[in-house]
Amino acid sequence: MTQNALGVDFAKRLSETPKTPQERAAILANPGFGNHFTDHTAVVDYTVDSEGKGGWHDARIEPYGPIAMDPAASVLHYGQEIFEGLKAYRHADGSVWTFRPEANAARFNRSARRLALPELPPEVFIESLKQLVSVDRDWVPDGEGESLYLRPFMIATEAFLGVRPAREVSYRVIASPAGNYFGGELKPVSIWLSENYARAGHGGTGEAKCGGNYAASLAAQLEAEANGCKQVLFLDPTDGFAVEELGGMNIFFVFKDGTLVTPALNGNILHGVTRDSVMQLAADRGLAVQERRITIDEWRQALADGTLTEVFACGTAAVITPIGELKTKDGSLVTPTLEGESVAMAIREQLLGIQTGAVEDLHGWLTQLA
Ligand SMILES: *Cc1c(COP(=O)(O)O)cnc(C)c1O
């Protein structure tokens, strides 16, 4: 196969059957999360030639639709796959922006290295978002707390059942309008402590954003739901005491003296862009930020002696979610009702304000997409 040099020029083939403005309006009136997709997708292919040299080629925008794949494609058997998640926000003047995409591009490449997939030049990653959002810009909602969720991913498409890194790979981006995650009101959630299942182990894929980690978390998620919880908290599987993260969100603790604590990145924990941004905004407010080991015992003790005031989870999809209760098989750790201002909510407002253009972006975190 001939390999076109990869410009950051995306060939465009537009949909002949896009949703009508009425259909789109009906979806945007109540988008939910991850239910509906825009009219187009961005694609870039990767092939290793007979000399063993790999290259990206055929960057394009094409109509959204099913992917034709050989049933032997390695992603279907060995799960060689990675993904990212970020949001596009419409600002008051109609322009569309995204938040720290270079951090997602860098993380995508770290995930790629761990899953033995090819790295994608960060400028191609960012250009793919711009190209897709430009053709589908009418899909970016403008209601409060609404956004267009962007899902870049990379899959091994080579038809080969032997076990080695695939020589044919496809990078794609799809986009899904996302409503206000909590329908306006933000109630503290209950989370379930997973003691029967781990999501990561030392040397595993815990800090890669890959589908396999999510597949491995589903049984724990079912256990959580059976216990009346929406989310799962995973512990360090080597000692079973230290807190790591939720299935798809990082965790923070706020102490009475104004200290924010989050588990240190130990190779098992996903490097959340929201986590990193929360630490920066907390430091800007003069709060002490500690990345360190924190155990369930410390959590229990700090609640007992009244020094722990807030617990919250954070990630792109839900931004910041207060945690009201940790349910375990031997009882519950309940975060007391807050007296005074919530640090979690103040940082949440500020972060959302920056993303939507209402608060000044002092850190240069925004990139215009369209
Ligand atoms: C994506 C993800 C997060 C959150 O990362 P953000 O960059 O803040 O969206 C946290 N934990 C896991 C396991 C994730 O996959």
Side-chain angles (χ1 to χ4, degrees):
M1 131 173 244
T2 55
Q3 301 204 358
N4 316 333
L6 180 74
V8 262
D9 228 18
F10 281 62
K12 285 199 184 68
R13 183 165 64 84
L14 297 185
S15 171
E16 285 167 12
T17 53
K19 296 267 191 315
T20 64
Q22 291 76 9
E23 287 169 328
R24 191 173 61 234
I27 290 170
L28 292 183
N30 186 15
F33 184 84
N35 300 321
H36 304 280
F37 301 93
T38 65
D39 295 314
H40 296 92
T41 175
V43 188
V44 192
D45 291 324
Y46 177 93
T47 312
V48 178
D49 68 17
S50 51
E51 269 109 65
K53 195 173 170 328
W56 291 102
H57 56 93
D58 292 306
R60 61 198 186 271
I61 295 293
E62 56 181 45
Y64 184 94
I67 304 175
M69 227 186 318
D70 195 286
S74 28
V75 65
L76 301 176
H77 304 272
Y78 307 130
Q80 201 189 0
E81 186 268 358
I82 57 172
F83 68 95
E84 271 302 325
L86 62 174
K87 284 175 168 175
Y89 307 88
R90 192 180 289 284
H91 286 192
D93 65 357
S95 59
V96 180
W97 300 73
T98 194
F99 185 73
R100 306 187 68 184
E102 57 295 322
N104 296 87
R107 184 171 70 190
F108 197 52
N109 281 340
R110 290 198 301 273
S111 300
R113 287 197 290 275
R114 181 64 184 83
L115 274 287
L117 283 162
E119 291 181 44
L120 182 74
E123 61 277 15
V124 177
F125 180 94
I126 291 171
E127 188 62 22
S128 69
L129 308 179
K130 290 183 178 171
Q131 295 277 336
L132 180 59
V133 171
S134 297
V135 296
D136 283 338
R137 64 176 297 150
D138 291 345
W139 283 93
V140 183
D142 58 7
E144 198 191 329
E146 297 181 341
S147 59
L148 183 66
Y149 183 79
L150 303 172
R151 166 56 58 87
F153 62 106
M154 196 192 290
I155 53 176
T157 50
E158 186 186 3
F160 177 64
L161 290 184
V163 180
R164 59 151 169 75
R167 294 176 185 151
E168 282 169 34
V169 168
S170 185
Y171 164 73
R172 290 170 179 264
V173 190
I174 56 175
S176 174
N180 194 333
Y181 214 77
F182 297 96
E185 85 182 299
L186 196 60
K187 278 196 294 216
V189 296
S190 296
I191 62 173
W192 173 251
L193 181 66
S194 177
E195 294 176 84
N196 293 325
Y197 303 102
R199 74 171 279 285
H202 291 308
T205 54
E207 65 180 0
K209 209 169 175 71
C210 64
N213 290 343
Y214 280 72
S217 75
L218 294 176
Q221 178 75 27
L222 289 177
E223 193 184 79
E225 283 168 22
N227 286 281
C229 297
K230 291 219 173 75
Q231 295 274 346
V232 185
L233 177 73
F234 291 100
L235 298 175
D236 181 336
T238 48
D239 67 10
F241 300 119
V243 173
E244 289 200 328
E245 62 169 317
L246 278 63
M249 295 174 114
N250 296 115
I251 189 165
F252 278 87
F253 300 85
V254 184
F255 288 83
K256 207 171 200 155
D257 67 357
T259 305
L260 227 73
V261 175
T262 193
L265 300 173
N266 61 359
N268 298 349
I269 297 173
L270 206 284
H271 299 210
V273 178
T274 317
R275 174 186 181 277
D276 192 76
S277 309
V278 166
M279 289 197 294
Q280 180 65 57
L281 295 178
D284 292 352
R285 288 170 175 264
L287 300 173
V289 180
Q290 296 176 353
E291 294 179 81
R292 63 167 171 84
R293 186 181 142 87
I294 176 164
T295 62
I296 295 290
D297 280 344
E298 179 180 351
W299 185 343
R300 186 180 291 111
Q301 188 56 45
L303 282 175
D305 62 25
T307 52
L308 178 61
T309 52
E310 295 177 66
V311 185
F312 66 88
C314 71
T316 296
V319 194
I320 285 179
T321 310
I323 294 171
E325 179 181 12
L326 175 72
K327 285 193 184 174
T328 81
K329 60 179 166 37
D330 335 292
S332 252
L333 303 189
V334 179
T335 317
T337 311
L338 196 65
E339 299 153 18
E341 207 211 343
S342 159
V343 171
M345 288 304 102
I347 293 178
R348 182 177 199 275
E349 286 304 300
Q350 189 182 5
L351 195 53
L352 276 170
I354 294 169
Q355 291 167 336
T356 56
V359 170
E360 198 185 348
D361 172 25
L362 294 171
H363 295 286
W365 281 340
L366 297 185
T367 292
Q368 186 166 8
L369 293 179

